[in-house]
Amino acid sequence: MNQSRGREALEGLKVVDFGWFVAGPMMTKFLADNGATVVLVEGGLSKVQALRTGSPFKDKKPGVNRSGYFAMYASGKYSITLNLSHPRGLDIAMRLVAWADVVAESFRPGVMKELGLDYDRLKTVNPSVIMVSSTNQGQTGPQARQPGVGTQLVSLAGFTEITGWPDRVPAQPFGAYTDVIAPRFGVVAILAALDYRRRTGKGQYIDLSQYEAGIQFLAPAALDYSVNGRVLKRAGNECPYACPHNVYPCVGEDRWCAIAVFSDQEWQELCRLMERPELGQDPKFSTLGSRKQSEEYLDQIIGSWTRSHRAEELMDKLQSAGIAAGVVSNGRDLREDSQLKYRHHFWVIDHPEMGPHSYDGPPYLLSKTPASVKRSAPCLGEHNEFVCREFLEMSDEEFLDLIETGVFD
Amino acid sequence: MSDTANRRDQALSSYRVLDLTDEKGYLCGRILGDLGADVIKIESPQGDPGRNIGPFYKDMDDPEKSLLWFAYNYNKRGITLDITKDAGKEILKKLVRRADFLIESFPPGFLDGLGLGYEDLRQVNERLIHTSITPFGQDGPYRDYKGPDLIGMALGGYLYLTGDIDRPPVRISAPQAYLHASTDAAVGTLMAHYHAVSTGEGQHVDVSMQQSVVLLLMMARPYWELTGTYLKRTGSFRSGIGSGALQPQTWPCKDGCVSYAVFGGPQFAPFNRAMVKWLEMEGLADEFITSIDWDTVDMMTLDKGFHDAVSERISKLFLSHTKDELYQGAIAHGLMLYPGNSIEDLLASPQLQSRGFWVEVEHPELSDKITYPGSFAHISDTPCLIRFRAPCIGEHNETIYGQELGMLPHERIDLKMEGVI
């Protein structure tokens, strides 16, 4: 039932996306899923963007139209390949800017200016355009142009130091964590700017720093340092106000169940389920404070119990008894997760080279204007002609003439 | 509707938000407040339960001193209201009549049970956008499951990918799942708003924290589908390089760690040559490292011996310096290296300081100022900023009930006696 069911929230909104990698494209993917028309401007075969050559590939066979990594942030977008160093490529880009409400990009600071596509230039063809630039560290400041990849920014923004075990080198949070925080803030800023524009006719420029957006998620710890001088440390899976609170081994290879006990009553229930009533009656474990004293011991007891159970079974059993528990889901678990299925999180759409492939839907369901993943990720330059004719209203002659200049190559 | 001078210059200054969330949803209302909306935090007369979550100001365990509360409730005014009492329900409906948004994070069905669900409230205000933030959404098999941070990170697939391979998966030691959900809730709310301003039609926005976490998985999500195998957690190492080789991604240094990677191919060769030059300057280069032809280095095909030998030399450099020395060195040598900043380091960051990121916020009730992380984005004409600190319990009862809803003093006293406000 992967079909749009009527009007979507952002219908009529026009977006040009010069983004690459994750942080920029993720913003415009959210817009596309909710009805915006998004044109992805990317390099042609001579300058293919990095994510198109990033694994995993369909059947492990590399190809510019086979990357699952690229696909997940590109669904529902139109792809046009443009050589922006070619004067006529730049001209087409500017015509798209004139057509658009929003221009998004995620190059290193200064690159859009070198291309002749900085905000001041965009305003000359579209005075009310909203431009958003997503970068590692923002457009200004001494380290704005310091190169670095997203997986490293996680360390700069303070997340690595607080993830992992106190007795070891930090285990950095998976992936480019700040790359997936910033886009949500970016979309908020875009939608707010659109509202302001509707009321005033004025566009504006949004400078989004992944570094700064990421630190929003560490705000209580930052206050704790500035007020109490306390520096948050990594603490495994410990939580100051819950115990037990950990991840426990289950039947099968690399299978785990997370369990979090917040109240004394939940602790009693857990002891009942483990058939260890004597633990429940033991005053050494009757309060949070006393359990924290014996946390390692309790973890061992629970682990020896969970080891002979399946993670799914434990989750259901514990949750039914009012105890927070969850399977530590891997890729297969997510695709089979009954709640995600119920919420229709995954949208399976046929792709010319990848075949049926799943795309993420948004985490919010809008009751009157439900979102939809409309099309599979575009093949490289799949919509060159469509974009030129439909959105830029080019004549046949002009389009054919452009092909010959090599501007799409 | 009340206003302050600077709020008029902000993008959402003409809108009002009723915020009934607990700690699962604080950030959503704050984001709208950062953009200028008039956010009214509605809490029970006893104070919001989230006020009891630490850390606390000067470690004083007090509902008026929770730093979690401070961090995610600034730019909000605060009133108390017991919405389970009949008089409280009527007052909420009065407020809803004049509001654009209502955000809440009650268990699914709770508001419906009180006669205050979306279907009830839209009778009062057709244009209302009602946003619900819950662990798994309003309906479905997990609807009533408990979903604290650890469980959200687990069932959303992020936990599996983080941690050392020889130990259980591990979470980030500061709760994250509901911050993603709250930010997504702000996105969904403003999408619905975009539709409402052109059609006059409000709607319900149903946010699932579990799904918000799934959106963190990057290439790990399609990995299983396309290859039938899982990406495994690799702790401080980089995954996905060839021949079972492991290369550190997080490297120990003199006072902590730094993030650095050796990438292969001609594109990254200049970075690798710069590293070799640095090693030479420090007297740590030998024949092995100086003779590598970086243009032809392919990370996928070189064996473990090669990777270990390269790592060993780089390790020596890192262990002899502090993370700040290494970051400064990386800037000077043009290398891609970032320090593993602690919270303390973040406050000292010259980059953040130069952008005015850290902001001192007045807390008159404490006779103190506290340093906060500032705006989440620089928006050129309609700034995103901190206007005032989080409210004390019932701080704006008089302004909102008295001046704005026109309740007389004796009415307010009666409501207070009845425990409604």
Side-chain angles (χ1 to χ4, degrees), chain A residues 77-287:
Chain A
K77 300 180 186 177
Y78 298 97
S79 161
I80 178 171
T81 52
L82 282 184
N83 178 352
L84 295 171
S85 331
H86 191 294
R88 296 196 62 182
L90 187 65
D91 173 61
I92 297 171
M94 287 305 252
R95 284 159 74 177
L96 282 168
V97 169
W99 162 86
D101 301 297
V102 175
V103 174
E105 63 99 7
S106 56
F107 291 115
R108 199 162 43 78
V111 170
M112 285 297 266
K113 187 161 191 160
E114 287 158 26
L115 290 167
L117 289 166
D118 53 298
Y119 180 56
D120 286 337
R121 293 286 290 279
L122 304 194
K123 275 195 299 186
T124 64
V125 297
N126 185 347
S128 65
V129 73
I130 291 160
M131 179 175 181
V132 54
S133 296
S134 169
T135 51
N136 278 0
Q137 303 200 49
Q139 297 292 314
T140 59
Q143 274 121 48
R145 296 176 76 128
Q146 171 66 4
V149 293
T151 47
Q152 300 179 318
L153 196 66
V154 182
S155 298
L156 188 75
F159 289 99
T160 299
E161 187 62 23
I162 60 161
T163 305
W165 307 96
D167 60 330
R168 286 195 180 170
V169 173
Q172 90 154 47
F174 172 76
Y177 187 59
T178 51
D179 267 77
V180 288
I181 296 176
R184 282 91 175 256
F185 284 103
V187 174
V188 163
I190 291 167
L191 293 168
L194 281 164
D195 193 75
Y196 180 74
R197 189 178 82 156
R198 188 185 52 79
R199 286 180 285 123
T200 63
K202 291 181 190 161
Q204 51 187 325
Y205 179 67
I206 300 161
D207 166 9
L208 180 67
S209 151
Q210 288 178 46
Y211 193 8
E212 293 166 358
I215 294 173
Q216 304 297 324
F217 282 19
L218 297 174
L223 265 60
D224 195 22
Y225 175 73
S226 69
V227 168
N228 298 321
R230 187 180 296 115
V231 177
L232 182 67
K233 307 266 190 225
R234 58 188 170 277
N237 283 317
E238 270 188 48
C239 168
Y241 44 91
C243 180
H245 186 275
N246 213 336
V247 171
Y248 303 92
C250 298
V251 170
E253 195 206 329
D254 209 21
R255 299 297 289 166
W256 308 86
C257 184
I259 301 173
V261 171
F262 289 84
S263 72
D264 300 337
Q265 193 199 339
E266 288 164 13
W267 167 245
Q268 297 296 331
E269 276 298 307
L270 181 62
C271 294
R272 190 180 62 78
L273 292 175
M274 291 195 294
E275 296 175 14
R276 297 288 298 269
E278 81 286 1
L279 288 175
Q281 282 150 17
D282 194 330
K284 283 208 301 292
F285 312 125
S286 63
T287 64

Side-chain angles (χ1 to χ4, degrees), chain B residues 151-167:
Chain B
I151 307 306
M153 296 306 259
L155 280 170
Y158 195 75
L159 208 57
Y160 183 78
L161 297 160
T162 299
D164 295 350
I165 190 62
D166 61 337
R167 288 195 184 174

